[in-house]
Amino acid sequence: MIFREFDPKIHDVYKVAELVYDVDERTFVNIFSSREEGIEAIKERLLYDFSLEDEDENELYYVFFDDEDVEEKNIVGMFNGGKGVTHSYYRYSLSLFKHLKFSQAMGLAKVNFLDSFVLVDVEPEDFYICELAVLSSYRGRGYGKQVLSQLIQMARDLDCKRVVLDADFRNDGAFRLYSSFGFKVFKKKCFKHFGIKRGMRNMELILKD
């Protein structure tokens, strides 16, 4: 698997936005009126995020390609996270309203609001897998396992104490994948707001005591 740092000037931003949407489709579908509207909002958010100069140096944003795709034309998946990476939901939501269309900012702010109640609490020595997605057409072919193996090794190389991630209650496939690598559930969080229910298994893989 070929990892590359995501660069919206080089890579297909819309394709990456599609992958981000797919990570949390069950939530986005309840907030945006259509898939296209949700993906467009994510795309505009990505373009804004990567226009900033004060990025967190620990935050990683990768796209990856099949080893045989030597020209790196077809994005297979994406990853966002890093060592000790956390997000300020309040500050980030405010920035959305400053730079995006109101409808886009409102939708993404709702997602952020729901996330703030269910996502894992990240410690400074944690390696956080915030978003990880593989294109649906590539699933079941071992790509998820390859990427997860490389991310765990990356966490070891960064001398992290554990790898943490979130597995949606409704995504049994992802839960089975993470469990097969030794991840354990250490907390369950659930939140319901105006009929939208959000639930996560906070999972961890201990790398060292």
Side-chain angles (χ1 to χ4, degrees), residues 3-206:
F3 277 57
R4 290 289 180 265
E5 290 187 20
F6 173 56
D7 183 345
K9 296 178 182 178
I10 300 172
H11 303 121
D12 187 340
V13 183
Y14 190 86
K15 178 62 69 177
V16 176
E18 282 186 304
L19 286 162
V20 174
Y21 184 96
D22 289 342
V23 169
D24 204 8
E25 182 176 8
R26 294 174 179 86
T27 299
F28 282 118
V29 76
N30 287 310
I31 291 176
F32 289 96
S33 61
S34 68
R35 175 181 173 84
E36 290 72 24
E37 183 184 20
I39 292 171
E40 187 64 26
I42 296 167
K43 187 193 81 173
E44 292 302 315
R45 188 206 77 190
L46 288 170
L47 289 172
Y48 163 67
D49 285 350
F50 282 85
S51 70
L52 300 176
E53 296 182 357
D54 58 340
E55 295 181 57
D56 182 349
E57 63 179 12
N58 290 325
E59 185 167 6
L60 308 173
Y61 212 113
Y62 291 127
V63 290
F64 37 91
F65 305 84
D66 189 285
D67 288 331
E68 297 180 0
D69 184 7
V70 292
E71 296 184 3
E72 300 177 13
K73 289 186 175 181
N74 299 307
I75 295 173
V76 172
M78 56 75 63
F79 157 73
N80 174 228
K83 184 175 182 178
V85 171
T86 59
H87 298 284
S88 171
Y89 297 101
Y90 177 71
R91 185 179 64 203
Y92 188 64
S93 294
L94 285 179
S95 72
L96 292 173
F97 285 98
K98 288 183 179 180
H99 300 279
L100 273 61
K101 294 179 181 178
F102 181 81
S103 60
Q104 294 175 335
M106 180 62 75
L108 294 177
K110 287 180 180 178
V111 175
N112 285 345
F113 176 74
L114 293 170
D115 282 349
S116 67
F117 290 95
V118 298
L119 297 187
V120 66
D121 298 315
V122 181
E123 301 295 334
E125 299 303 310
D126 291 341
F127 186 88
Y128 182 33
I129 299 177
C130 178
E131 294 172 320
L132 175 61
V134 174
L135 280 176
S136 58
S137 57
Y138 285 85
R139 292 173 194 163
R141 295 160 60 178
Y143 289 98
K145 290 183 178 179
Q146 290 183 51
V147 173
L148 196 53
S149 293
Q150 291 193 44
L151 292 177
I152 292 171
Q153 184 57 52
M154 194 180 299
R156 294 185 191 279
D157 293 342
L158 291 170
D159 200 31
C160 295
K161 290 185 176 180
R162 62 176 185 164
V163 182
V164 295
L165 52 78
D166 305 288
D168 193 296
F169 285 168
R170 300 160 293 186
N171 193 339
D172 291 333
F175 176 69
R176 287 194 296 271
L177 172 63
Y178 301 143
S179 297
S180 71
F181 275 80
F183 283 87
K184 304 293 184 185
V185 177
F186 68 95
K187 188 178 291 185
K188 293 182 180 181
K189 296 180 181 179
C190 189
F191 182 73
K192 189 173 183 180
H193 179 68
F194 291 110
I196 302 175
K197 189 175 182 180
R198 192 91 158 97
M200 288 288 184
R201 305 177 181 99
N202 298 160
M203 304 183 73
E204 64 181 0
L205 176 66
I206 304 298

